[in-house]
Amino acid sequence: MSDIAGSTLYALREQGVPVLPYYDELLQHACRQCSPLFGQRVYADIYHEAAADPQWLAISLITNAEREGDGATRLWSLAACTPDADQAGQIRQHAIDESHHSRAYIQLLDMAFPGAVDEKLHAELLSLSPGYSRQQAPQATPGSAFAHAITLDDLIQMNIAEIRTRVHHLLQRPILLQFCPAYSRPQLARILDRLLYDETRHIAYTARLIEGFCGSGEAAEARKLLLERMDDFDAITRQELELRVFE
Ligand SMILES: [Fe+2]
Ligand SMILES: [Fe+2]
């Protein structure tokens, strides 16, 4: 996992995303300069150590559900305020995906740790998802810091966040399968496959939009921002690691 740019680009190619001349180079450059902690062996080792505790793992699934729900809400505001219909449509789909993911994490909790939460708490956990669907039109949350048209900076931050989320999936997968009772394992694997597919798709569409900005004369700005935000994410990852939070 140490070549985070290489493994991410490989996953994009596997999903049929063509070479993106600007984006691919910018990502490789930023990862070479910053060498983010979430792509390093030591990070995976600390994750495995923490995740050996089933209680920690169960709580981390709940944290994932909460963050996916929050992410969906932010994206919903961005989608509502982005005037370009094509961009807005992609962000809207992203919000719907993350809204589904929030519930998927509770399903994973149910399968890997049956009976871990009582009915009342279970209902509360399901409500962590805003429940967005294709039938709904995005609306901005009043006062949200995300009630604005999407920017290159937003896309870069989303892209890096999705790359890190993908790393977490890859770390989480074998451990969840191990804890899960054998009868639920095939269904659990299917949910994990879907999550991984979606998160890779989120890296892909943000990468394509970043590529578009670069092609319209913003390549130098994108290069600067990607490196800056990779450093910011690395600092956040280091702080979260102290708290044993992986998201
Ligand atoms: Fe997600
Ligand atoms: Fe995502």
Short mmCIF file of all heavy atoms in Angstrom, two decimals, residues 68 94 97-99 101-102 105 162 165 169 195 198-199 202 247, ligand 1:
data_model
loop_
_atom_site.label_atom_id
_atom_site.label_comp_id
_atom_site.label_asym_id
_atom_site.label_seq_id
_atom_site.Cartn_x
_atom_site.Cartn_y
_atom_site.Cartn_z
N GLU A 68 -20.49 8.97 7.00
CA GLU A 68 -21.09 8.85 5.65
C GLU A 68 -22.36 9.70 5.58
O GLU A 68 -22.62 10.35 4.58
CB GLU A 68 -21.42 7.39 5.33
CG GLU A 68 -20.21 6.47 5.23
CD GLU A 68 -19.53 6.49 3.86
OE1 GLU A 68 -20.11 7.01 2.90
OE2 GLU A 68 -18.40 5.97 3.78
N HIS A 94 -23.44 11.21 -5.84
CA HIS A 94 -22.47 10.95 -4.78
C HIS A 94 -23.16 11.03 -3.40
O HIS A 94 -22.97 10.18 -2.54
CB HIS A 94 -21.33 11.99 -4.89
CG HIS A 94 -20.17 11.75 -3.99
ND1 HIS A 94 -19.03 12.51 -4.05
CD2 HIS A 94 -19.95 10.84 -3.00
CE1 HIS A 94 -18.17 12.09 -3.14
NE2 HIS A 94 -18.71 11.07 -2.49
N ASP A 97 -25.27 8.00 -2.85
CA ASP A 97 -24.40 6.85 -2.52
C ASP A 97 -24.00 6.89 -1.05
O ASP A 97 -24.09 5.88 -0.34
CB ASP A 97 -23.10 6.89 -3.34
CG ASP A 97 -23.30 6.61 -4.82
OD1 ASP A 97 -24.38 6.12 -5.20
OD2 ASP A 97 -22.36 6.89 -5.60
N GLU A 98 -23.52 8.06 -0.58
CA GLU A 98 -23.02 8.13 0.80
C GLU A 98 -24.18 7.93 1.79
O GLU A 98 -23.99 7.35 2.86
CB GLU A 98 -22.30 9.46 1.07
CG GLU A 98 -21.14 9.80 0.14
CD GLU A 98 -19.97 8.81 0.14
OE1 GLU A 98 -20.12 7.65 0.58
OE2 GLU A 98 -18.89 9.21 -0.35
N SER A 99 -25.35 8.39 1.39
CA SER A 99 -26.53 8.18 2.22
C SER A 99 -26.83 6.67 2.35
O SER A 99 -27.11 6.16 3.45
CB SER A 99 -27.69 8.92 1.56
OG SER A 99 -28.88 8.73 2.22
N HIS A 101 -24.54 4.37 1.96
CA HIS A 101 -23.41 3.78 2.68
C HIS A 101 -23.61 3.85 4.19
O HIS A 101 -23.20 2.95 4.92
CB HIS A 101 -22.10 4.50 2.32
CG HIS A 101 -21.67 4.28 0.89
ND1 HIS A 101 -20.55 4.86 0.36
CD2 HIS A 101 -22.22 3.54 -0.10
CE1 HIS A 101 -20.42 4.48 -0.91
NE2 HIS A 101 -21.44 3.69 -1.21
N SER A 102 -24.19 4.96 4.63
CA SER A 102 -24.41 5.10 6.08
C SER A 102 -25.22 3.90 6.59
O SER A 102 -24.88 3.28 7.60
CB SER A 102 -25.16 6.42 6.35
OG SER A 102 -25.43 6.53 7.71
N TYR A 105 -23.24 0.54 6.53
CA TYR A 105 -22.36 0.28 7.68
C TYR A 105 -23.13 -0.31 8.85
O TYR A 105 -22.59 -1.12 9.61
CB TYR A 105 -21.62 1.57 8.09
CG TYR A 105 -20.37 1.77 7.27
CD1 TYR A 105 -20.29 2.75 6.29
CD2 TYR A 105 -19.27 0.93 7.45
CE1 TYR A 105 -19.15 2.89 5.51
CE2 TYR A 105 -18.13 1.08 6.68
CZ TYR A 105 -18.07 2.05 5.71
OH TYR A 105 -16.95 2.19 4.94
N GLU A 162 -11.69 10.54 -0.51
CA GLU A 162 -12.15 9.25 -1.06
C GLU A 162 -10.98 8.26 -1.20
O GLU A 162 -11.16 7.06 -1.01
CB GLU A 162 -12.82 9.46 -2.42
CG GLU A 162 -14.09 10.30 -2.38
CD GLU A 162 -15.25 9.59 -1.69
OE1 GLU A 162 -15.23 8.36 -1.58
OE2 GLU A 162 -16.18 10.30 -1.26
N THR A 165 -10.56 6.94 2.22
CA THR A 165 -11.66 6.03 2.55
C THR A 165 -11.43 4.66 1.90
O THR A 165 -11.67 3.61 2.50
CB THR A 165 -13.01 6.61 2.06
OG1 THR A 165 -13.21 7.86 2.70
CG2 THR A 165 -14.17 5.70 2.37
N HIS A 169 -11.25 0.91 3.59
CA HIS A 169 -12.03 -0.26 3.16
C HIS A 169 -11.15 -1.48 3.02
O HIS A 169 -11.50 -2.58 3.45
CB HIS A 169 -12.69 0.00 1.80
CG HIS A 169 -14.03 0.61 1.96
ND1 HIS A 169 -15.15 -0.11 2.26
CD2 HIS A 169 -14.40 1.89 1.88
CE1 HIS A 169 -16.15 0.72 2.36
NE2 HIS A 169 -15.72 1.93 2.14
N LEU A 195 -19.41 -1.20 -1.61
CA LEU A 195 -18.84 0.01 -1.01
C LEU A 195 -17.52 0.37 -1.70
O LEU A 195 -17.29 1.52 -2.06
CB LEU A 195 -18.58 -0.22 0.50
CG LEU A 195 -19.81 -0.17 1.41
CD1 LEU A 195 -19.46 -0.71 2.80
CD2 LEU A 195 -20.35 1.25 1.54
N ASP A 198 -18.14 1.78 -5.15
CA ASP A 198 -18.64 3.16 -5.10
C ASP A 198 -17.53 4.14 -4.73
O ASP A 198 -17.42 5.21 -5.33
CB ASP A 198 -19.76 3.30 -4.06
CG ASP A 198 -21.08 2.72 -4.54
OD1 ASP A 198 -21.19 2.35 -5.73
OD2 ASP A 198 -22.02 2.65 -3.72
N GLU A 199 -16.74 3.80 -3.73
CA GLU A 199 -15.70 4.75 -3.30
C GLU A 199 -14.67 4.96 -4.42
O GLU A 199 -14.19 6.07 -4.62
CB GLU A 199 -15.01 4.31 -2.00
CG GLU A 199 -15.95 4.07 -0.81
CD GLU A 199 -16.79 5.27 -0.37
OE1 GLU A 199 -16.81 6.31 -1.06
OE2 GLU A 199 -17.47 5.15 0.67
N HIS A 202 -16.15 7.32 -6.76
CA HIS A 202 -16.09 8.71 -6.26
C HIS A 202 -14.72 9.32 -6.53
O HIS A 202 -14.60 10.51 -6.83
CB HIS A 202 -16.41 8.77 -4.76
CG HIS A 202 -17.79 8.28 -4.44
ND1 HIS A 202 -18.16 7.80 -3.21
CD2 HIS A 202 -18.90 8.18 -5.24
CE1 HIS A 202 -19.44 7.44 -3.24
NE2 HIS A 202 -19.90 7.65 -4.47
N GLU A 247 -11.24 7.00 9.30
CA GLU A 247 -12.38 7.23 8.39
C GLU A 247 -11.92 7.94 7.15
O GLU A 247 -11.13 8.83 7.18
CB GLU A 247 -13.49 8.01 9.11
CG GLU A 247 -14.58 8.55 8.21
CD GLU A 247 -15.15 7.55 7.23
OE1 GLU A 247 -15.23 6.37 7.56
OE2 GLU A 247 -15.50 7.93 6.11
FE FE B 1 -18.99 6.19 1.30
#
